[in-house]
Amino acid sequence: MHPAPSVIVFTVLSGLGFGTMALLGLGLGPSGAVAGPLTGLFAFVLAGAGLLASTLHLGNPQRAWRAFSQWRTSWLSREGVVSVALMAVFFAYVAGWFLTGSPSRPLGILSALLAALAVFSTAMIYAQLKTVPRWSNPFTVAMFLGLALAGGVIATGLAMTLAGETPGPGAGLPLLAGSAAAYAYRRRTGALSLATAATPESATGLGALGRVRQVEPPHSAPNYLMKEMIFIVGRRRAEKLAVLFVIFGLFAPLFLYILSREAEALAAPGLALALALHLFGAFISRWLFFAEAEHVVGLYYGRR
Amino acid sequence: MTALPPCGEVKLGLVIDLDTCVGCHACVTSCKEWNTGGYGAPLSDLNAYGPEPEGAFLNRVHMYEAVPETGPAQVVNFPRSCLHCEDAPCVTVCPTGASYKRAEDGIVLVNEDACIGCGLCAWACPYGAREMDRAAGVMKKCTLCVDRIYNDNLPEEDRIPACVRACPTGARHFGDLGDEESAVSRLVAERGGFALMPEQGTKPVNRYLPPRPKAAPEPLSLAALAEPEAKGFLGWLDRALERL
């Protein structure tokens, strides 16, 4: 699948923003009357920038408001509805916190629920597609939720350290769980080739005659389908990128997080570096998520 | 509304005969000609005279070969377009309600005024039936020539999809596949028509008819070709030269 930069930027930035919102809403972030709302503003801007980026890949972005109408059937519509509801509720939560000096517990919990639902909806847009076997499984959902959670833990940890607070005991466990979920996605879906969904024989229905091979394509230059669904550029570098992601995007932030808990002097620079590395890793992982995914339409073109 | 309607009685669709298709692409050009001037935005071509022309088409004709374990391969021309699935995944994923399936005849259409061009429906379709119009930024797909088949302004023989009308070998048939007694349904039953990628669970309406079995060719003896037996004058000459 073609890795559209706007979709990668959207899912990575909004994932980090939503993860931070969820933890802040649950009271697991900084609790100060200034540090809390400021962290909230950071998450709000990140998620907002991501949501704006998501409209850049549309053919007719001026009609994007229509995407709020089909929440009964469409995960993309649900993502839109939930994201906008989350932005409104979370804005009220942060503004109330800033004005009154203390956060509203119900609004915080509602924000956390909506944030989890928003990331879940994003993941389901991909996990629902039977046409892409690598995506159409629960590991996709776990990976999206896991990366958002990991980013949230690092971002709130950094905010607390900067505000002179100490994250509570066990605050690193969600980071471990989130990183494990992100790691599991590629390990467990790598073997889900196109053949697990369909074959050239079932795509053409000609299996009874023998093995099917394309002799001549229907057009001489690549069309929309081939550019969008049969993206093969960079696949040969996929293994190296995956190693970069695991080392710099998963293990390094985890190590830096533990280090920051042990050595107080290193806490702020360590967590800042961890956040930067997490973002770097998340971009690689999301690029691979698209570039490595194969769509069954490739079977008609004799390519994957 | 992107919820699928309750399955109706009428299921209009195409039956494509892979035995008779000669791969001339007349259906492709006829489809493009009709649909670039009919329903919705024109089917744009980008860089049409450049090195890499690209355009939106609603119908594509592939050429495959099927290679059996033994014996010669068979070449099959294979037109590919929207199958107007009963359980159309392209409809339910649409966030705006632009993509819909008609209850009255089962045709899957795009309301281009509501399409935001997100491309998710094309991702959801296993058959590559949807192509983005890069100029208009909306999704294009086969309409089963909805602006022909009910069009009283056309002579009756033209009230069929443009691809069916254009096919010079009669490889394309149009009709109601929901009616077991219709000509297309009988054709499917007689010839063992099949659906594409049934494992995707989309329940396509369109059917393909398999190529008829070919008579096995006489086994070719290369040894006989290498040593032709000359007869008549050439035979006498051959024997005479042999004796020299």
Side-chain angles (χ1 to χ4, degrees):
Chain A
M1 305 293 290
H2 172 68
S6 60
V7 176
I8 294 178
V9 168
F10 157 57
T11 55
V12 168
L13 291 189
S14 70
L16 178 59
F18 292 164
T20 311
M21 287 177 176
L23 292 172
L24 204 61
L26 291 174
L28 296 171
S31 55
V34 177
L38 212 56
T39 310
L41 189 67
F42 162 79
F44 190 85
V45 168
L46 265 185
L51 288 171
L52 284 181
S54 75
T55 62
L56 293 179
H57 80 288
L58 300 179
N60 281 286
Q62 78 281 9
R63 299 180 192 140
W65 59 274
R66 289 182 183 272
F68 300 120
S69 63
Q70 304 301 314
W71 50 270
R72 278 178 295 259
T73 50
S74 164
W75 280 109
L76 181 51
S77 183
R78 285 171 198 161
E79 180 199 45
V81 170
V82 172
S83 301
V84 169
L86 166 64
M87 295 298 271
V89 170
F90 189 74
F91 185 78
Y93 174 68
V94 172
W97 192 349
F98 181 69
L99 293 175
T100 64
S102 65
S104 150
R105 191 106 181 107
L107 279 183
I109 290 173
L110 186 60
S111 295
L113 281 175
L114 286 171
L117 204 57
V119 178
F120 181 76
S121 302
T122 303
M124 282 306 293
I125 292 170
Y126 305 103
Q128 71 179 338
L129 296 174
K130 280 189 197 165
T131 47
V132 184
R134 271 199 185 220
W135 290 353
S136 130
N137 58 73
F139 290 104
T140 300
V141 178
M143 184 271 280
F144 271 82
L145 287 169
L147 271 187
L149 188 62
V153 170
I154 299 171
T156 49
L158 175 63
M160 290 175 89
T161 308
L162 290 176
E165 302 178 30
T166 317
L173 288 179
L175 176 59
L176 191 62
S179 303
Y183 181 70
Y185 168 76
R186 196 164 181 283
R187 294 285 296 181
R188 299 300 294 272
T189 63
L192 293 175
S193 66
L194 276 188
T196 60
T199 60
E201 288 74 31
S202 75
T204 58
L206 298 172
L209 298 178
R211 286 193 62 79
V212 174
R213 192 183 73 87
Q214 176 169 259
V215 175
E216 194 181 344
H219 36 88
S220 53
N223 65 345
Y224 169 75
L225 295 172
M226 298 178 73
K227 289 178 181 170
E228 186 76 4
M229 260 73 96
I230 315 177
F231 182 88
I232 50 176
V233 179
R235 273 194 195 150
R236 66 205 178 99
R237 300 273 181 249
E239 287 303 325
K240 280 180 186 162
L241 284 171
V243 170
L244 281 180
F245 162 60
V246 170
I247 293 176
F248 292 104
L250 295 181
F251 285 109
L254 207 55
F255 171 75
L256 288 167
Y257 191 86
I258 296 167
L259 187 73
S260 74
R261 303 299 298 268
E262 297 296 328
E264 213 171 300
L266 291 175
L271 284 172
L273 183 61
L275 187 61
L277 287 174
H278 165 81
L279 269 178
F280 170 71
F283 277 114
I284 293 183
S285 138
R286 204 49 51 83
W287 190 86
L288 282 173
F289 176 73
F290 287 99
E292 289 193 293
E294 299 168 349
H295 192 288
V296 292
V297 80
L299 296 170
Y300 286 108
Y301 285 93
R303 300 170 67 171
R304 305 186 302 134
Chain B
M1 184 52 61
T2 56
L4 288 166
C7 201
E9 297 274 303
V10 181
K11 298 172 190 169
L12 294 185
L14 298 173
V15 174
I16 296 168
D17 191 343
L18 298 178
D19 192 63
T20 14
C21 176
V22 293
C24 69
H25 291 243
C27 54
V28 178
T29 45
S30 175
C31 166
K32 179 96 169 179
E33 184 273 330
W34 178 264
N35 286 294
T36 205
Y39 182 99
L43 291 165
S44 68
D45 288 317
L46 304 179
N47 199 16
Y49 302 100
E52 270 212 358
E54 183 193 335
F57 283 76
L58 313 183
N59 182 25
R60 303 280 193 179
V61 181
H62 295 255
M63 184 194 273
Y64 298 110
E65 67 171 1
V67 188
E69 291 282 320
T70 56
Q74 191 169 341
V75 169
V76 180
N77 297 296
F78 188 93
R80 179 175 57 79
S81 58
C82 174
L83 309 172
H84 298 279
C85 301
E86 281 178 45
D87 205 347
C90 56
V91 169
T92 49
V93 298
C94 176
T96 67
S99 195
Y100 65 104
K101 184 172 176 71
R102 289 166 35 126
E104 63 267 37
D105 52 17
I107 300 180
V108 177
L109 290 175
V110 175
N111 171 10
E112 293 179 5
D113 292 333
C115 177
I116 56 175
C118 69
L120 188 56
C121 54
W123 287 10
C125 174
Y127 309 107
R130 290 173 169 242
E131 296 189 17
M132 184 85 80
D133 187 311
R134 302 271 196 193
V138 294
M139 196 55 77
K140 305 298 291 189
K141 70 174 295 300
C142 163
T143 66
L144 217 54
C145 282
V146 68
D147 50 354
R148 284 176 72 104
I149 58 177
Y150 298 114
N151 193 336
D152 292 337
N153 297 318
L154 296 177
E156 202 175 338
E157 64 269 27
D158 283 337
R159 288 179 215 159
I160 51 175
C163 58
V164 178
R165 189 78 178 92
C167 182
T169 63
R172 303 178 73 94
H173 307 268
F174 165 71
D176 178 10
L177 287 142
D179 173 8
E180 284 182 20
E181 292 306 309
S182 70
V184 280
S185 294
R186 288 204 304 274
L187 195 58
V188 169
E190 280 166 25
R191 295 275 308 279
F194 56 83
L196 305 183
M197 271 196 262
E199 63 269 51
Q200 284 275 318
T202 53
K203 293 194 248 165
V205 169
N206 283 15
R207 287 289 183 273
Y208 283 78
L209 304 179
R212 290 185 175 88
K214 300 272 188 285
E218 288 288 313
L220 192 65
S221 169
L222 290 176
L225 285 178
E227 288 178 32
E229 196 179 322
K231 292 191 179 83
F233 170 72
L234 284 178
W236 170 82
L237 190 64
D238 186 41
R239 287 191 296 277
L241 288 170
E242 178 71 35
R243 279 196 295 270
L244 268 175

